[in-house]
Amino acid sequence: MTMAIMSAALLIGNLKRKGPARPSFFPQSDSWKRVFLTFLSLIAYNLLLNPLGFALTTFLFVMFLVRFIFPQSWVRTLMVAVLSAIFARLLFINFLETQLPKGFLGF
Amino acid sequence: MDLLNHIALGAQILFTPINLFFCFIGVLMGTLVGVLPGLGPTAAIALLLPNTFHVSPVSAIIMLAGIYYGAMYGGSTTSILVNIPGEAASVITTLDGYQMALKGRAGPALGIAAFGSFIAGTISVIGLMLVAPPLAKFALAFGPPEYFSLMLMGIVVLIYLASGSILKALMMAVFGLLLGTIGMDAISGTQRLTFGLLELSDGVGLIPAIMGLFGVAEVIHNVEEAIRREVVTSKVKNLLPNLQDWRDSFWPIIRGSVLGFFIGILPGPAPVISAFSSYAIEKKLSKHPEKFGTGVIEGVAGPEAANNAATGGAFIPLFTLGIPSNSVIAILLGAFMIHGIQPGPMLISKHADLFWGTIMSMYLGNAMLLILNLPLIGLWVKVLKVPYPILFPLILLFCLVGVFSLNYSQVEVALMIGFGVFGYLARKFQFEMAPLVLALVIGPMMENNLRLSLIISQGSPWIFIEHPISATFIFISLALLISPWIPWIGRRRKKLQEKVEGEQI
């Protein structure tokens, strides 16, 4: 409790002091979009993992990120997404024997 | 003779197919994450930790240690060829290494970095082997008050060495301690700050926190803008440095090794600091300091040796006291606990196989790295050419799966994402992560020792001053906290800060 108060006090003290000029918050005007979408996709992955199963969620996740964050061609996107889903599936489930949800499709 | 027996024991443990395999995987992964900018050894060890649950503790520690020192080798490759540090400890290598590459001397630069790392790695392992056992015997005299004061000092030193504002580092440390109090009270068993979540009763998991702070936050930071990388592709040849190069870099390597080893023992991001100090020393001692920054080989050899030696030194507090000195070692400590090994001064005698096996693996691992990094350099250059837009989803995927597979808990994944957001924002405002992680790890240990001490002394806080060893630690911490207000020390610290400017841990 004292710690919480102390850090709050430090925060206020620090806010009052004027620091040196910082570079603008985002280096590029569309940065916030990419940052926001990436966080969103992480949350989506967490939510979809159980209902959809590991392989399918991974495929969607990689596809979304490759296609929309730094847009790549569809061919490349699909190739990367399919390959990573298959490899991740082999690596984690078959090789490392991690118990990941299989979802309604059963793979 | 005792030493020889122990070495034999270590070799016996190491030279089994399974341990050799894990040692190899460790150094391979280490080089890989070292080469890749934006994924450091901290995140990599956190990633692989959950996957070591079903192997023996020795194999697990051998592999995780391999990642740590392997990353120091890999980092130099990126620094020299791309002018982007593969990980924080190689920042300084970009100064002269990249210039050498531009002059067409990428080969000798890479070569001396690998040889220097090898020599330094070996020296620091020998140091570790000689220093750790006596120190552990000394530490047997420590009781709860000494431990508490020592940990307090560890945190204070880390705060003091923070590259940015001390106040900000202090805030991060206090926040870490606060997070460390979440979960079940170890002495009375009450639930604290868990908000009814079962997952939080064990405390905030270290792995989700680290993956969020280092893995996710780092990736998000890189996603902001498209990084263009220009790999120096003019053929990398003549990896072997010539006689003149050796003459120029022999002493820097030796000095860097010794310096790195001792800085490694201190808490803090030792590889980074030691690389910077080695560069500064070489520049001062050099006959031609004006040439530094234009591609002199000493500027590559010294720091590369120092950052490798520091990894060896950093293991000392872990093996002798069970106290982590930086975030990588903190995860290793977590690994010990997961595998049911109680870290502390008894570790070396109780788990002799673990200690000596790991030491021997570090000798062999350094040799493996030399082979991995010199003849196979072309392979790593290829890895560097994997475009980031394809790489980063895979890094995120590893973070997600790694955390999920710990306890199959979505709460922990959510926690990781939360830490990712926090880490991203904190980085924006130039807060450092290292004090937070260290405080999170040793917070509960500190609390236990504090309460045990107070039980021993029946509530009197003077116990920390009455015990001489403990009093010394407290005094040093106080002196460090006060010293920035003393003008000339404050000014010197400022200077040090300016040198480390732009450093991200």
Side-chain angles (χ1 to χ4, degrees), chain B residues 16 38 41 68 76 78 133 151 169 175 278 283 349 410 435 437 445 469 473 477 502:
Chain B
T16 50
Y68 187 30
S76 56
T78 323
M151 289 189 243
F175 184 58
S278 163
K283 201 169 169 180
S349 44
Q410 285 183 325
V437 172
M445 293 158 68
I469 302 177
F473 292 146
S477 329

Side-chain angles (χ1 to χ4, degrees), chain B residues 34-53:
Chain B
V35 166
L36 293 175
L39 188 66
T42 318
I45 294 180
L47 275 171
L48 280 186
L49 181 60
N51 298 318
T52 62
F53 289 162

Side-chain angles (χ1 to χ4, degrees), chain B residues 324-357:
Chain B
S325 54
N326 61 40
S327 35
V328 176
I329 299 290
I331 312 174
L332 279 176
L333 185 74
F336 279 6
M337 290 174 175
I338 287 167
H339 284 283
I341 296 164
Q342 184 59 45
M346 295 299 286
L347 181 111
I348 296 179
S349 44
K350 245 201 228 158
H351 299 277
D353 54 336
L354 180 87
F355 177 71
W356 294 103

Side-chain angles (χ1 to χ4, degrees), chain A residues 28-40:
Chain A
Q28 284 170 11
S29 57
D30 58 343
S31 290
W32 69 271
K33 246 188 260 170
R34 287 199 286 266
V35 170
F36 185 69
L37 281 179
T38 313
F39 273 124
L40 216 60

Side-chain angles (χ1 to χ4, degrees), chain A residues 7-66:
Chain A
S7 44
L10 279 170
L11 182 67
I12 295 163
N14 223 15
L15 283 179
K16 277 187 187 159
R17 201 178 310 166
K18 281 223 163 119
R22 292 184 209 294
S24 70
F25 195 78
F26 289 119
Q28 284 170 11
S29 57
D30 58 343
S31 290
W32 69 271
K33 246 188 260 170
R34 287 199 286 266
V35 170
F36 185 69
L37 281 179
T38 313
F39 273 124
L40 216 60
S41 60
L42 284 173
I43 295 168
Y45 189 93
N46 194 17
L47 294 178
L48 292 178
L49 188 58
N50 267 328
L52 288 188
F54 175 65
L56 191 58
T57 324
T58 302
F59 170 75
L60 290 175
F61 177 76
V62 176
M63 186 176 80
F64 177 80
L65 287 180
V66 173

Side-chain angles (χ1 to χ4, degrees), chain B residues 431-505:
Chain B
F431 283 89
E432 275 184 59
M433 293 300 123
L436 173 72
V437 172
L438 191 69
L440 177 61
V441 178
I442 68 179
M445 293 158 68
M446 253 174 100
E447 191 201 343
N448 273 347
N449 281 303
L450 172 68
R451 294 175 71 172
L452 284 176
S453 319
L454 289 180
I455 290 172
I456 294 171
S457 71
Q458 293 168 338
S460 154
W462 295 111
I463 186 169
F464 297 110
I465 311 288
E466 281 157 6
H467 289 225
I469 302 177
S470 154
T472 318
F473 292 146
I474 298 259
F475 175 75
I476 295 174
S477 329
L478 274 180
L480 281 178
L481 279 183
I482 294 170
S483 66
W485 276 286
I486 302 169
W488 78 238
I489 304 182
R491 228 179 298 133
R492 288 191 138 193
R493 195 184 162 277
K494 273 264 158 58
K495 260 193 204 150
L496 190 83
Q497 260 179 38
E498 275 156 22
K499 252 184 238 153
V500 193
E501 197 61 44
E503 189 49 41
Q504 292 282 337
I505 316 292

Side-chain angles (χ1 to χ4, degrees), chain B residues 105 108 112 238-247 249 297:
Chain B
R105 300 205 347 114
I112 205 74
N238 294 331
L239 282 169
L240 295 179
N242 60 32
L243 202 61
Q244 183 59 40
D245 291 338
W246 273 113
R247 220 174 286 145
S249 37
I297 201 157

